[in-house]
Amino acid sequence: MIENLPPCPKCSCEYTYEMNALVVCPECGHEWVPADSEGEAAGERVVKDAVGNVLRDGDSVVVVKALKVKGSPSGIKAGTKVRNIRLVDGVDGHDIDCKVEGFGAMQLKSSVVKKA
């Protein structure tokens, strides 16, 4: 439960209340998800790894499950460390741009890595 509920962003009503994961305004009926303290309030895109840690540009990550790489006889093994990642708006959920040693530049999904 949130201690101090924010006022309604549409009508500035102070009498908002929680309903499950939403905050609701009783005057205008507006419903919204309250912003996290990790940057979502400022409109920043928050990327989290497989265990819920927030990722940032320049972090090092470890691959948590074996990945097949198209055109390569062997894939990326679980436990492979990837340094100096870059967060991007990728295609099909691939939101990490990086260089994997032995494979070169590629994009990974944040759901298959954890922060090192």
Side-chain angles (χ1 to χ4, degrees):
M1 184 170 180
I2 300 173
E3 292 291 323
N4 298 322
L5 292 173
C8 178
K10 286 203 173 194
C11 70
S12 301
C13 173
E14 298 177 0
Y15 304 109
T16 57
Y17 62 93
E18 274 187 298
M19 185 172 67
N20 297 328
L22 298 175
V23 177
V24 181
C25 175
E27 290 185 6
C28 69
H30 180 63
E31 298 177 349
W32 72 97
V33 178
D36 285 347
S37 61
E38 297 176 355
E40 290 180 10
E44 298 175 10
R45 187 174 67 105
V46 176
V47 177
K48 296 185 179 183
D49 66 3
V51 293
N53 297 320
V54 177
L55 297 174
R56 306 222 185 282
D57 286 342
D59 283 346
S60 294
V61 294
V62 176
V63 178
V64 294
K65 71 177 200 174
L67 304 172
K68 294 180 182 178
V69 178
K70 195 182 252 185
S72 174
S74 64
I76 299 172
K77 296 179 182 175
T80 302
K81 189 169 185 175
V82 180
R83 293 179 178 88
N84 199 19
I85 66 169
R86 231 180 51 209
L87 301 178
V88 295
D89 291 326
V91 179
D92 198 29
H94 294 82
D95 46 11
I96 297 175
D97 198 18
C98 61
K99 287 184 183 176
V100 179
E101 193 171 325
F103 290 94
M106 63 177 42
Q107 290 188 340
L108 298 173
K109 293 183 178 182
S110 59
S111 61
V112 298
V113 300
K114 74 175 184 178
K115 196 170 189 174

